[in-house]
């Protein structure tokens, strides 16, 4: 609270702040609270409180029904040390079911409790639900403990949810207690990397259409956690008994603070106690061998598909960015874990999901090991969850009387699966897939169609007000876009001192940009739209959609958004050093060295390459320019402003659309044909390269006519061999001729008239890397110019605190932006030109 000295705060605001601090202990997940339905005490008319939940006797409950015929009750009350809910059970002598009324679609946790008592140990039965065989030939007597809890994660549609109990032969089925309650939003996403036996990985889709059974839930480096210790009443066990070589690992020091939860992770993903403990490499073992791994070997179902979630939280490193390490699954697959690629702070939890098929050994190995390229030579792990994916092959064809019902259930779920697939097929058109660890649900997407007709560049007031009058949290112009990223308006007021003018760092067509600090201490840039501004709802939605699904070192990260009432606010990571343009011309910033410029261009090229070809694939930025390349405190380049970006299906080479972008950077071919391809971004990037080389704007109307357009002028000079003459005078002496030649060559290739002649962003990044090497091998290397590190060791610049964006700082001619109604009719080039002229005249 010390950030708010109260000088300008009004009393009501302070009250509101206090209220918010009081009410929402944690910000992103405040919408979800552990539900109180359904917790059932089977075979009883007694309600029993267990860990804050009341298990209602099934005889008392109105909302739950079960097959009464041939069911009976057992009562073991004599075993007084037995917990109360296990003292009664319901017994079924023939196929029977419990029926639950489900009122919201979504992912549910389903837990079945069984107690191994002498009179029940003869039971052998199957359990199935939603068309999945959850347990088969199940007997409690095989278990190693007297209480058995079986947990499943299932997508359940609205309607009746039935759990079937099918005894084998003359045996019987029983159950002591049942829990069925919705998981938090985005608890499990539909997609994860699938690891093959040979270690290859590719995207696996459709997790949500399977049933998951929890096999292991491990609090690595920590104690047993009981339902009392967990946010979703889960049980977590210690990892020690799974260690292959116990000597290789030691428990990390327990973290004393609260983990720094950042979306999409919250304490429902795993409780604090999981993230506050970890196992790390035991240095003592390194005396025996100087390089080693920690391996855990988990028993799993043979030859079955498994969902694996590994939890990390860096409570080990002394400082940020000092630790990278490898995660191995089953020996053949390795992945470098860089805790700062996805989260920018210490002690910030994150998780990664995988889909892995087990072999017939019945074991699955998870290892962590050091990365020789990392400063700190260690590795850590905080938690592991392994779930078996119950496949469709397990669907039980139930026989006899309940047959029809069960067939209906199975068909229903198959159809449900198809609907999901169709929605997902539609998504592919949008082409946004997400990168771990950002959960996404197909429900994130479906609302988009509802807005198909509203892709107008002005805000849709009628629609907004219609939604707002509903007066609920759903009154949002971006329904369900990514609820996990939603930030309450009050939080943003708090972060920006109620949009304090003093914190304003930019102004543009979209509105104002403010510097802010979230309650967790994170510095952010807050972009708030003004009503009637140029940037509208579609851009707002696109930005959230694109940025919430991807994370990359060279793409600016979206922290969250707010769409309450008429507000359209985007919250980004704060980029300390502002835009690339501010470091090139028309500003008082110290001049960037040639090396730094090459590093920055290379970084931006990598970011764009990731957009084009990375995990999320097929995204075209459409507005690449020097004000959309931002620099963090270490001068690491990050591409920003995705409001205009567009995606196409991966197999399609172009997308026909209306010309958008910024004058001076526009691909002439795209202009002519309106065929948008990734090569349009390559062209714009070529203009940026020239800007970097010459330190002048893309368009400068004050210059002689032939020099106004930098791309044209640069190409003329290049062809005449006179490029040296237009190089920024302040770097002329340091620039190595070979490096310059290579760089000019890249720029020229990018600026080819014919898109087919332009290189891909990968080629561009590669060539820039080469230009950097040419520079560095030529120049006597100074320690701070090591290209293998990022620019962090470089000359320190006075901190420029700005967050300009596309639309911020519209004052110059070169910032003219073409924005149009994105209607279906494609305007002719002349229409586009007239639009340009209108904007020009503004
Ligand atoms: C169980 O909890 C409910 C509220 O959570 C409370 O009203 C009730 O008295 C409790 N019952 C017992 C037996 O403690
Ligand atoms: C089930 O109940 C019916 C009568 O309700 C009885 O005739 C039958 O024997 C019972 N079946 C079993 C397996 O107990
Ligand atoms: C339980 O044990 C019996 C024999 O003791 C065996 O046939 C059955 O497969 C076991 N079931 C499970 C689920 O392990
Ligand atoms: C489960 O019950 C059977 C039969 O009563 C018994 O043999 C077995 O030891 C029990 N298992 C546990 C873990 O109590
Ligand atoms: C239980 O499931 C197994 C595996 O699908 C099946 O073979 C068996 O017939 C089922 N038992 C009953 C009683 O339905
Ligand atoms: C790793 O892949 C090779 C083939 O590339 C295969 O022969 C081997 O069995 C795999 N190892 C494991 C543990 O799956
Ligand atoms: C149970 O309630 C207590 C007090 O209200 C709270 O501190 C604790 O976190 C709750 N536990 C769970 C598992 O919800
Ligand atoms: C888990 O909860 C129990 C009961 O509230 C408590 O005694 C125990 O200390 C907790 N465990 C941890 C690791 O905090
Ligand atoms: C590591 O070795 C030191 C000195 O031999 C010993 O004090 C310490 O307990 C060892 N740590 C572990 C985790 O084995
Ligand atoms: C697991 O690791 C151990 C030790 O490295 C190895 O012997 C075993 O074959 C591995 N199993 C699998 C399935 O990779
Ligand atoms: C660590 O494990 C991985 C995967 O099994 C293996 O490739 C690597 O060589 C191991 N490192 C050491 C030092 O054993
Ligand atoms: C729930 O899902 C079903 C299909 O699985 C769909 O038809 C229905 O509209 C959904 N309901 C809501 C409220 O989302």
């Amino acid at each position: 609270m010390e950030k708010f000295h109260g000088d300008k705060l009004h009393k009501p605001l302070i009250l509101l702040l206090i209220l918010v601090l009081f009410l929402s202990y944690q910000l992103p997940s405040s919408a979800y609270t552990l539900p109180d339905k359904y917790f059932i005490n089977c075979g009883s008319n007694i309600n029993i409180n267990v860990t804050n939940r009341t298990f209602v006797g099934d005889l008392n409950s109105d909302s739950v029904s079960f097959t009464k015929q041939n069911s009976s009750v057992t009562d073991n009350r004599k075993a007084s040390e037995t917990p109360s809910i296990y003292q009664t059970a319901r017994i079924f002598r023939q196929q029977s079911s419990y029926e639950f009324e489900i009122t919201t679609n979504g992912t549910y946790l389903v837990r079945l409790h069984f107690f191994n008592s002498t009179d029940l140990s003869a039971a052998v039965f199957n359990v199935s639900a939603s068309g999945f065989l959850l347990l088969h030939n199940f007997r409690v007597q095989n278990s190693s403990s007297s209480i058995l809890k079986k947990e499943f994660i299932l997508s359940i549609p609205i309607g009746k949810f039935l759990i079937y109990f099918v005894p084998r032969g003359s045996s019987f089925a029983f159950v002591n207690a049942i829990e069925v309650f919705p998981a938090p939003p985005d608890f499990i996403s539909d997609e994860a990397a699938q690891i093959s036996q040979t270690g290859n990985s590719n995207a696996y889709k459709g997790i949500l259409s399977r049933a998951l059974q929890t096999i292991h839930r491990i609090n690595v480096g920590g104690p047993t956690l009981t339902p009392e210790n967990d946010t979703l009443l889960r049980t977590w066990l210690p990892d020690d008994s799974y260690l292959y070589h116990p000597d290789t690992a030691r428990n990390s020091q327990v973290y004393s603070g609260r983990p720094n939860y950042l979306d999409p992770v919250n304490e429902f993903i795993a409780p604090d106690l999981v993230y506050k403990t970890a196992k790390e490499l035991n240095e003592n073992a390194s005396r025996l061998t100087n390089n080693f791994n920690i391996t855990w070997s988990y028993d799993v179902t043979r030859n079955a598909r498994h969902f694996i979630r590994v939890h990390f939280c860096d409570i080990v490193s002394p400082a940020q960015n000092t630790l990278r390490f490898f995660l191995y699954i089953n020996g053949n697959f390795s992945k470098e874990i860089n805790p700062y690629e996805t989260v920018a702070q210490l002690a910030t939890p994150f998780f990664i999901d995988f889909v892995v098929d087990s072999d017939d050994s019945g074991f699955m190995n998870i290892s962590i090991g050091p990365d020789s390229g990392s400063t700190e030579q260690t590795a850590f792990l905080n938690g592991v969850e392994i779930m078996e994916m119950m496949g469709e092959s397990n669907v039980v064809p139930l026989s006899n009387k309940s047959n029809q019902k069960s067939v209906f259930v199975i068909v229903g779920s198959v159809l449900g699966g198809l609907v999901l697939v169709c929605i997902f097929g539609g998504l592919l058109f949008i082409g946004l897939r997400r990168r771990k660890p950002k959960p996404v649900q197909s429900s994130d997407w479906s609302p988009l169609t509802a807005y198909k007709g509203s892709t107008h560049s002005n805000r849709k007031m009628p629609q907004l007000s219609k939604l707002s009058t509903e007066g609920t949290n759903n009154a949002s112009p971006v329904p369900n876009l990514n609820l996990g990223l939603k930030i309450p308006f009050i939080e943003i007021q708090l972060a920006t001192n109620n949009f304090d003018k003093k914190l304003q760092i930019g102004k543009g067509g979209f509105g104002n940009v403010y510097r802010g600090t979230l309650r967790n201490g994170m510095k952010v840039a807050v972009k708030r739209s003004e009503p009637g501004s140029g940037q509208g709802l579609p851009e707002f939605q696109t930005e959230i959609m694109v940025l919430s699904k991807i994370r990359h070192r060279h793409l600016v990260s979206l922290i969250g958004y707010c769409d309450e009432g008429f507000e359209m606010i985007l919250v980004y990571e704060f980029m300390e050093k502002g835009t690339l343009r501010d470091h090139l011309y028309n500003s008082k910033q110290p001049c960037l060295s040639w090396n730094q410029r090459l590093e920055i261009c290379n970084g931006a090229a990598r970011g764009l390459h990731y957009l084009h070809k990375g995990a999320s694939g097929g995204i075209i930025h459409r507005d690449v320019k020097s004000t959309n390349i931002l620099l963090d405190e270490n001068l690491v380049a990050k591409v920003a402003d995705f409001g205009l970006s567009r995606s196409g299906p991966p197999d399609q080479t172009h997308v026909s659309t209306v010309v958008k972008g910024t004058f001076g950077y526009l691909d002439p071919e795209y202009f002519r044909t309106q065929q948008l391809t990734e090569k349009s971004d390559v062209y714009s990037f070529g203009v940026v390269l020239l800007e970097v080389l010459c330190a002048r704007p893309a368009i400068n109307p004050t210059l002689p006519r032939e020099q106004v357009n930098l791309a044209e002028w640069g190409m003329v000079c290049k062809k005449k061999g006179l490029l040296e003459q237009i190089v920024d005078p302040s770097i002329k002496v340091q620039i190595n001729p070979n490096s310059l030649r290579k760089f000019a060559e890249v720029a020229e290739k990018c600026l080819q008239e014919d898109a087919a002649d332009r290189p891909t962003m990968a080629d561009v990044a590669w060539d820039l890397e080469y230009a950097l090497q040419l520079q560095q091998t030529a120049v006597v290397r100074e320690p701070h110019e090591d290209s293998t590190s990022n620019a962090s060791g470089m000359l320190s610049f006075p901190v420029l605190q700005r967050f300009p964006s596309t639309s911020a700082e519209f004052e110059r001619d070169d910032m003219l932006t073409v924005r149009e109604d994105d209607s279906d009719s494609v305007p002719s080039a002349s229409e586009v030109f007239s639009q340009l002229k209108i904007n020009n005249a503004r």
Side-chain angles (χ1 to χ4, degrees):
M1 285 298 295
E2 53 288 334
K3 295 188 290 290
F4 310 100
H5 289 293
D7 47 339
K8 281 201 154 180
L9 286 182
H10 306 296
K11 263 198 193 132
L13 183 59
I14 294 175
L15 282 178
L16 219 50
L17 294 183
I18 291 168
L19 198 64
V20 162
L21 288 174
F22 180 74
L23 289 178
S24 63
Y25 182 50
Q26 66 285 330
L27 170 170
S29 51
S30 52
Y32 178 85
T33 50
L34 184 64
D36 56 7
K37 276 190 174 172
Y38 294 96
F39 294 85
I40 306 300
N41 180 20
C42 302
S44 175
N45 58 358
I46 299 171
N47 297 352
I48 298 170
N49 289 354
V50 186
T51 58
N52 297 7
R53 298 294 119 189
T54 303
F55 281 75
V56 179
D58 60 2
L59 292 169
N60 301 350
S61 176
D62 311 331
S63 48
V64 174
S65 57
F66 57 94
T67 320
K68 296 205 168 66
Q69 209 189 19
N70 293 63
S71 89
S72 60
V73 167
T74 171
D75 191 336
N76 298 344
R77 226 161 289 175
K78 46 207 173 275
S80 59
E81 72 279 11
T82 308
S84 311
I85 55 165
Y86 298 113
Q87 290 181 6
T88 60
R90 183 156 300 280
I91 295 170
F92 300 110
R93 309 234 164 234
Q94 64 184 45
Q95 176 167 315
S96 309
S97 60
Y98 270 94
E99 187 177 297
F100 300 85
E101 199 62 46
I102 299 294
T103 52
T104 34
N105 278 355
T107 306
Y108 280 74
L109 285 147
V110 175
R111 286 195 195 111
L112 306 175
H113 299 245
F114 305 99
F115 187 76
N116 178 17
S117 60
T118 14
D119 44 352
L120 296 177
S121 61
V124 186
F125 55 100
N126 288 358
V127 177
S128 62
S130 295
F132 295 101
L133 182 60
L134 304 181
L135 297 172
H136 67 99
N137 295 331
F138 176 73
R139 323 162 176 252
V140 278
Q141 62 180 10
N142 288 19
S143 84
S144 57
S145 67
S146 54
I147 294 170
L148 262 105
K149 291 183 211 171
K150 293 285 179 182
E151 181 190 275
F152 304 92
I153 296 173
L154 285 169
S155 292
I156 308 181
I158 289 175
K160 292 192 189 321
F161 171 65
L162 284 99
I163 304 178
Y164 292 96
F165 293 82
V166 189
R168 188 171 89 181
S170 59
S171 177
F172 60 92
F174 78 95
V175 60
N176 295 83
I178 303 178
E179 301 170 50
V180 176
F181 63 91
D186 295 336
F187 184 59
I188 301 263
S189 56
D190 194 53
E191 194 184 337
Q194 182 173 21
I195 313 299
S196 73
Q197 301 261 320
T198 52
N200 296 326
S201 94
N202 46 49
Y204 179 93
K205 278 192 231 106
I207 294 169
L208 292 174
S209 54
R210 307 285 288 266
L212 305 178
Q213 178 180 185
T214 307
I215 311 273
H216 293 289
R217 180 170 281 138
I218 308 293
N219 179 18
V220 179
T224 299
L225 301 182
T226 61
E228 287 93 64
N229 309 117
D230 185 77
T231 46
L232 294 176
L233 310 176
R234 291 164 291 201
T235 301
W236 300 74
L237 297 175
D239 64 300
D240 303 81
S241 58
Y242 301 97
L243 275 172
Y244 208 83
H245 290 297
D247 299 346
T248 55
R250 66 177 171 90
N251 287 352
S252 306
Q253 198 165 359
V254 177
Y255 184 66
S256 54
R258 182 166 193 267
N260 228 329
Y261 291 103
L262 281 184
D263 260 6
V265 185
N266 52 54
E267 75 283 5
F268 291 109
I269 297 291
D272 294 5
L273 291 168
V274 168
Y275 291 121
K276 286 165 78 162
T277 60
K279 273 252 170 17
E280 61 187 280
L281 297 193
N282 178 9
E283 310 82 357
N284 287 10
S286 66
R287 296 214 194 94
L288 311 171
T289 131
N290 56 0
N291 190 5
F292 62 99
N293 294 337
I294 305 178
T295 298
W296 291 265
S297 208
Y298 293 103
D299 52 304
V300 294
T301 310
R302 284 165 211 269
N303 299 312
R305 186 152 288 174
H306 288 83
F307 173 86
I308 297 189
R309 174 167 286 184
V310 280
H311 297 266
F312 298 99
C313 178
D314 188 356
I315 56 169
V316 169
S317 299
Q320 288 181 26
N321 281 319
T322 55
L323 176 58
R324 279 173 295 149
F325 58 95
F326 282 105
L327 169 76
Y328 304 97
I329 296 178
N330 274 346
N332 272 352
F333 172 79
S334 72
K335 179 180 172 63
E336 188 179 56
I337 306 294
N338 179 351
Y340 305 98
E341 196 173 65
T342 42
V343 291
Q345 295 169 52
L346 289 173
T348 304
F350 62 100
F351 63 88
I352 310 178
D353 293 343
F354 297 100
V355 172
V356 186
D357 291 345
S358 59
D359 57 15
D360 55 14
S361 72
F363 286 95
M364 199 171 277
N365 283 351
I366 295 179
S367 314
I368 52 173
D371 179 347
S372 54
S374 162
T375 319
E376 296 282 323
Q377 285 296 302
T378 189
F380 66 86
L381 184 64
N382 302 66
V384 173
E385 290 173 275
I386 299 180
M387 298 173 196
E388 184 183 342
M389 299 173 72
M390 321 299 281
E392 276 118 65
S393 59
N394 284 348
V395 167
V396 249
L398 292 174
S399 52
N400 76 40
K401 201 181 151 213
S402 324
N403 200 4
Q404 299 224 315
K405 226 182 206 172
S406 72
V407 165
F408 172 78
V409 170
I410 293 161
V411 168
S413 97
V414 168
L415 287 180
L418 284 180
V419 169
L420 279 181
V421 169
C422 293
I423 292 171
F424 219 86
L427 291 185
L428 276 181
F429 154 68
I430 300 159
L432 296 171
R433 268 171 285 133
R434 102 208 135 81
R435 192 178 164 207
K436 289 284 146 191
K438 298 247 41 168
V440 68
Q441 284 191 336
S442 49
S443 62
D444 285 3
W445 304 94
S446 36
L448 275 180
T449 47
Y451 282 83
K452 211 172 171 185
S454 73
T455 48
H456 194 274
S457 53
N458 289 317
R459 298 179 65 182
K460 298 302 260 188
M461 290 309 178
Q463 191 161 8
L464 279 176
S465 52
K466 184 180 130 248
L467 284 163
S468 308
T469 51
E470 285 163 20
T472 66
N473 283 341
N474 301 333
S476 147
V478 195
N480 297 334
L481 256 187
N482 189 328
L483 293 175
L485 285 179
K486 250 180 150 158
I487 300 183
F489 184 63
I490 183 84
E491 281 293 332
I492 294 172
Q493 285 184 307
L494 189 64
T496 57
N497 203 0
N498 200 16
F499 304 100
D500 190 340
K501 274 270 175 248
K502 278 188 229 139
L503 296 177
Q504 189 175 328
I505 51 174
K507 183 170 175 61
F510 179 85
N512 294 334
V513 184
Y514 301 85
R515 179 158 46 92
T517 311
L518 293 181
R519 269 196 288 136
N520 62 13
M522 182 178 221
K523 279 195 190 172
V524 291
V526 174
K527 218 164 128 179
R528 184 193 196 189
S529 76
E530 306 275 20
S533 70
Q535 194 158 5
L537 190 55
E539 283 88 350
F540 181 70
Q541 291 175 332
T542 309
E543 182 104 5
I544 296 169
M545 300 231 328
V546 172
L547 279 177
S548 63
K549 308 304 166 207
I550 53 179
R551 291 282 146 132
H552 187 268
R553 178 172 156 82
H554 295 294
L555 299 177
V556 80
S557 301
L558 184 72
I559 307 298
Y561 70 93
C562 170
D563 58 356
E564 284 169 31
F566 291 106
E567 295 288 347
M568 287 197 286
I569 298 173
L570 295 166
V571 180
Y572 302 88
E573 64 175 312
F574 186 68
M575 298 295 286
E576 201 81 40
K577 294 240 157 79
T579 70
L580 170 59
R581 193 182 71 157
D582 283 332
H583 291 266
L584 293 176
Y585 50 88
N586 293 347
S587 88
K588 295 189 184 72
Q589 292 309 303
C591 172
L592 293 172
S593 74
W594 182 236
N595 255 336
Q596 289 171 324
R597 293 184 200 198
L598 287 171
E599 296 264 18
I600 289 164
C601 290
N602 190 3
R606 280 160 192 264
L608 288 170
H609 168 60
Y610 184 79
L611 275 185
H612 293 169
K613 304 286 186 211
S616 33
I619 301 170
I620 303 170
H621 187 287
R622 291 219 289 180
D623 205 10
V624 175
K625 54 186 175 182
S626 56
T627 44
N628 279 345
I629 297 172
L630 305 184
L631 304 175
D632 76 4
E633 73 271 26
N634 297 322
L635 289 176
V636 173
K638 299 195 190 221
V639 178
D641 212 317
F642 298 81
L644 294 184
S645 62
R646 187 83 165 225
S647 325
D651 53 331
Q652 225 169 289
T653 50
H654 66 260
V655 178
S656 173
T657 180
V658 179
V659 173
K660 288 189 177 187
T662 301
F663 203 43
Y665 296 87
L666 279 179
D667 169 11
E669 184 171 297
Y670 165 45
F671 220 76
R672 257 196 329 272
T673 63
Q674 279 124 40
Q675 298 295 298
L676 183 65
T677 72
E678 288 153 3
K679 295 294 179 69
S680 302
D681 283 351
V682 175
Y683 182 91
S684 309
F685 192 70
V687 180
V688 172
L689 292 180
L690 286 183
E691 249 182 296
V692 164
L693 182 68
C694 309
R696 57 151 280 193
I699 299 283
N700 185 348
T702 64
L703 290 172
R705 202 173 169 280
E706 71 275 15
Q707 299 184 20
V708 168
N709 183 317
L710 175 62
E712 282 171 20
W713 178 234
M715 285 307 92
V716 168
C717 295
K718 172 78 174 55
K719 289 206 177 73
K720 289 183 182 161
L722 299 174
L723 199 61
E724 277 95 323
Q725 294 184 6
I726 61 167
V727 170
D728 180 3
S730 58
I731 54 165
K732 237 176 195 161
V733 284
Q734 41 177 294
I735 196 163
N736 170 272
N738 290 326
S739 178
L740 172 62
R741 197 172 311 120
K742 188 76 209 167
F743 188 87
E745 214 179 279
V746 184
E748 187 180 28
K749 279 195 264 174
C750 291
L751 293 171
Q752 289 302 306
E753 279 286 311
D754 205 338
D757 296 337
R758 294 176 208 149
T760 63
M761 268 340 281
D763 297 335
V764 174
W766 182 253
D767 282 349
L768 289 171
E769 185 87 47
Y770 186 53
L772 185 63
Q773 275 170 23
L774 289 173
Q775 177 72 14
Q776 285 173 337
T777 48
V779 177
V780 180
R781 285 173 62 141
E782 290 174 35
H784 65 262
E785 288 182 331
D786 189 349
S787 77
T788 56
S789 73
N790 56 37
S792 56
M794 294 194 174
L795 311 164
S796 60
F797 284 74
V799 176
L800 170 70
Q801 305 201 311
R802 332 187 71 176
F803 182 88
S805 69
T806 3
S807 26
E809 298 180 345
F810 243 56
E811 81 283 18
R812 304 278 315 171
D813 305 328
D814 62 301
M815 298 306 299
L816 291 174
T817 302
V818 192
R819 289 184 198 277
E820 289 188 317
D821 190 338
D822 199 0
S823 60
D824 286 342
S825 63
V826 176
S828 67
S830 62
E831 281 175 295
V832 174
F833 272 107
S834 62
Q835 274 282 335
L836 269 177
K837 285 202 201 92
I838 291 161
N839 283 349
N840 234 328
R842 247 200 337 217

